[in-house]
């Protein structure tokens, strides 16, 4: 999560997991300073934020990011947090992603109303009852209710962080006895509850999948890298094979988060062979180096259908994280698709369609947000007058090519490229 984690009176203190010398931090510092017009330093950015206020910098970051929907996993809790409803002024769609492990922990922390000890039956009844009680976006469209697009507090998907707790080797055939014993182990530790028992986590996962199927909700799954309490060896998405082969859940839409980095190739394979698997590259962009971001997205697209790969910022807590994720995603996807056109994998109109799919259409269908806006038209927005420069047309010592063109607004543009095949998009990604 590339963000400038500065002390700020609207937010709780969050610790920087870096000494400030990693690529993403230094690059992000420059990007944010450029956006704010401030000094390129932590002090300069911090002073700008304090003078401007949270509402102002949030408006600036979200406007620059050009984000149309904010789906918030509120399972990360801070001392001071705004309600989901507060975000409605920054995007046409605001919805909630419900983290299942956090919901279970809250239930266990609250205890039974009569003070009795939890049993697996009483917990399951409460847990599934809570899941079913949340307003669900699916029924808005299923029954044709005329709800506005601002859908704050409606559940648009579930999320699991099993990778952090016990790994992705989910046993979908966990027995009730195993789950009961796991619950007992969890309760032994006392409050506040942090669920780490594998059998109980597997049980939660299966119960949640059944609810997801019933309400047609997608499920996000943390995969790949994360914080230091994650065992990276157990977060390889290939461990999900038992789940993916279980015929009870083949209709449940699953998205593997964070490009599954460093297991991006494995994730691409799973999305290729399992119809229910989708991919999201948030966090890998903008956390990795530029080379790492480009390589990871290329690996996702090596096998996975384009219509299964989705953009997200993985932003949280600070508005700058949303801006950085969106800014770098546009640049990285442009680079990846440009190379795909050069290599002959895609035509330019196909690349434009891929941009639409990756940045909006795939997520709209996956999360059923039904957001209506005018997308790019690959037939009318792409010039057919692009130039192909043969190798023999360049001198041996020529390293760069300067391209000058007039865009659709009548402004003159200039770009320098290393490429032999030059094309330009008439609309910004």
């Amino acid at each position: 999560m590339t963000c400038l984690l500065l002390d700020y009176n609207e937010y709780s203190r969050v610790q920087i997991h870096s000494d400030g010398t990693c690529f993403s931090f230094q690059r992000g510092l420059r990007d944010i300073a450029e956006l704010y017009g401030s000094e390129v330093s932590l002090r300069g950015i911090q002073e700008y934020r304090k003078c401007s206020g949270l509402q102002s910098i949030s408006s600036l970051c979200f406007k620059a990011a050009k984000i149309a929907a904010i789906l918030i996993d509120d399972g990360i809790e801070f001392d001071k947090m705004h309600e989901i409803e507060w975000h409605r002024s920054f995007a046409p769609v605001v919805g909630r992603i419900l983290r299942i492990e956090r919901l279970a922990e809250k239930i266990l922390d609250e205890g039974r109303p009569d003070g009795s000890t939890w049993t697996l039956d009483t917990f399951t009844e409460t847990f599934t009852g809570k899941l079913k009680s949340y307003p669900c976006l699916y029924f808005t469209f299923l029954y044709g209710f005329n709800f506005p697009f601002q859908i704050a507090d409606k559940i648009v998907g579930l999320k699991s962080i099993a990778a952090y707790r016990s790994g992705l080797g989910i046993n979908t055939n966990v027995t009730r006895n195993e789950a009961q014993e796991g619950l007992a182990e969890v309760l032994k530790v006392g409050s506040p509850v942090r669920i780490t028992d594998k059998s109980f986590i597997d049980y939660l996962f299966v119960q949640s999948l059944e609810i997801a199927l019933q309400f047609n909700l997608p499920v996000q799954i943390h995969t790949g890298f994360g914080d230091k309490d994650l065992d990276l060896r157990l977060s390889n998405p290939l461990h999900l094979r038992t789940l993916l082969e279980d015929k009870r859940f083949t209709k449940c839409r699953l998205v593997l988060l964070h490009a599954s980095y460093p297991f991006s190739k494995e994730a691409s394979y799973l999305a290729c062979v399992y119809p229910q698997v989708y991919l999201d590259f948030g966090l890998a962009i903008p956390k990795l180096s530029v080379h790492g971001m480009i390589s990871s997205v290329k690996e996702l697209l090596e096998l996975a259908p384009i219509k299964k790969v989705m953009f997200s910022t993985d932003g949280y807590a600070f508005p700058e994280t949303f801006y950085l994720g969106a800014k770098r995603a546009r640049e990285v996807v442009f680079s990846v698709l440009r190379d795909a056109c050069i290599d002959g994998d895609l035509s330019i109109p196909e690349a434009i369609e891929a941009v639409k799919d990756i940045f909006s259409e795939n997520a709209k269908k996956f999360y059923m947000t039904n957001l209506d806006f005018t997308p790019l038209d690959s037939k009318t927005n792409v010039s057919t007058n692009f130039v192909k420069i043969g190798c023999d047309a360049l001198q041996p010592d020529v390293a760069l090519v300067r391209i000058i063109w007039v865009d659709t607004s009548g402004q003159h543009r200039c770009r320098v490229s290393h490429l032999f095949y030059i094309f330009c998009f008439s609309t910004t990604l």
Side-chain angles (χ1 to χ4, degrees), residues 254-260 264-265 267-272 274-282 284-285 293-312 329 332-333 336-337 346 351 353-367:
L254 309 172
V255 58
L256 310 183
L257 300 179
H258 313 316
S260 299
S264 301
K265 289 183 178 180
S268 179
Y269 165 75
L270 293 176
C272 175
Y274 291 104
Q276 69 270 39
V277 175
Y278 294 75
L279 308 174
D280 178 316
F281 53 68
I285 299 175
M293 291 186 289
I294 292 173
S295 297
S296 183
V297 174
K298 284 186 173 181
E299 288 179 355
L300 292 182
L301 291 171
E302 283 182 354
L303 284 174
I306 292 173
K307 291 188 178 296
K308 284 186 163 192
V309 178
M310 292 181 281
F311 152 80
S312 77
V332 168
V333 170
V336 170
L337 296 181
L346 295 175
E353 288 297 314
V355 170
K356 291 164 52 181
D357 289 337
I358 291 170
F359 282 100
S360 74
E361 297 304 309
N362 296 344
K364 284 164 58 178
K365 294 173 183 176
F366 185 81
Y367 293 105

Side-chain angles (χ1 to χ4, degrees), residues 387-401 419-421:
V387 180
K388 180 177 179 180
I389 303 176
C391 295
D392 57 352
L394 299 177
Q395 299 298 321
D397 58 345
V398 173
L400 301 173
V401 178
L419 305 176
F420 292 117
Y421 294 81

Side-chain angles (χ1 to χ4, degrees), residues 63-191:
K63 183 178 180 180
K66 301 178 182 179
I67 292 174
I70 308 174
L71 306 183
I72 300 174
D73 165 18
D74 57 358
I76 302 176
E77 297 186 349
F78 301 100
D79 293 337
K80 297 179 181 179
M81 295 175 62
H82 283 283
E83 296 294 332
I84 292 179
E85 180 75 13
W86 179 82
H87 298 78
R88 287 176 59 166
S89 60
F90 306 121
V93 166
V94 178
R96 183 182 179 193
I97 303 293
L98 182 64
R99 188 180 294 203
I100 60 175
E101 291 86 3
R102 187 68 194 115
L103 173 62
E105 288 167 347
K106 286 183 176 180
I107 290 172
L108 294 175
D109 276 332
E110 291 171 359
R112 296 274 294 148
D114 59 3
S116 60
T117 302
W118 286 107
T119 65
L120 187 64
D121 288 334
T122 57
F123 169 80
T124 303
E125 181 182 359
T126 305
F127 179 74
T128 57
K130 283 275 191 181
L131 283 179
K132 293 177 181 179
S133 69
Y134 287 108
C136 173
L137 180 63
Y138 170 61
F139 289 103
T140 298
F141 301 109
L142 179 64
Y143 295 113
F145 298 149
N146 187 25
F147 283 94
F149 282 132
Q150 288 102 334
I151 54 174
D153 287 336
K154 284 190 172 63
I155 302 299
V156 297
L158 305 181
K159 179 178 179 178
S160 171
I161 56 166
Y164 270 101
R165 305 299 178 83
S166 57
L168 294 178
I170 305 297
N171 176 16
T172 56
N173 295 309
V174 59
T175 66
R176 289 185 58 80
N177 285 340
E178 290 170 334
Q180 178 67 63
E181 291 172 3
L183 173 59
E185 290 298 318
V186 169
L187 294 175
K188 279 182 184 178
V189 179
S191 217

